[in-house]
Amino acid sequence: MKDCIFCKIVEKEIPTEILLENEFFIAFNDINPKAQIHVLIIPKKHFQDISDIEGNILGELPEFLKELSRKLGVEDSGYRLITNKGKDAGQIIFHLHFHLLAGNDLGDLI
Ligand code: AMP
């Protein structure tokens, strides 16, 4: 979608180190990390947020997560997955994304 910064990352118009990519998703480091490991996972197709999804893209997520967590070395130690929708959740980029947070500094908010 025009003017969407994450679509530009998908299209490689904004150079970004891609940690993992498949047919459906790409993963890259968050520019402003909130944990030792803070990776964003985004669908290549533009959806505004989690409630905007059409089709079965979420069904493709577990396989991607397995490979990504293996690559990051957190498959066994674990991670937290967060997605924000809307103002109160603090969503600032309106292209669906999942924050994968890992490391020993996650706290116990959730
Ligand atoms: P959210 O509040 O869920 O919309 O979070 C958007 C996230 O995208 C924030 O954690 C930002 O630090 C991150 N972000 C914004 N622009 C970029 C970028 N060009 N590359 C990597 N992460 C970004």
Side-chain angles (χ1 to χ4, degrees), residues 40-88:
L40 297 177
I41 301 164
I42 71 172
K44 289 184 167 177
K45 191 168 172 195
H46 182 95
F47 303 106
Q48 182 165 306
D49 57 52
I50 189 88
S51 70
D52 185 41
I53 292 177
E54 285 172 8
N56 192 29
I57 186 85
L58 288 185
E60 307 294 339
L61 189 57
E63 194 180 319
F64 190 80
L65 276 173
K66 261 181 225 153
E67 195 177 342
L68 180 63
S69 62
R70 219 176 290 135
K71 260 199 142 166
L72 296 170
V74 300
E75 191 185 21
D76 296 329
S77 51
Y79 52 87
R80 184 173 291 158
L81 203 61
I82 293 174
T83 190
N84 292 319
K85 175 195 162 52
K87 176 172 64 67
D88 283 2

Side-chain angles (χ1 to χ4, degrees), residues 34-37 78-80 101-110:
K34 298 279 177 17
Q36 273 177 333
I37 295 175
Y79 52 87
R80 184 173 291 158
L101 302 165
N104 56 13
D105 56 352
L106 294 184
D108 58 2
L109 179 61
I110 301 173

Side-chain angles (χ1 to χ4, degrees), residues 28-33 38 40:
F28 53 91
N29 284 314
D30 195 294
I31 208 169
N32 181 22
H38 186 171
L40 297 177

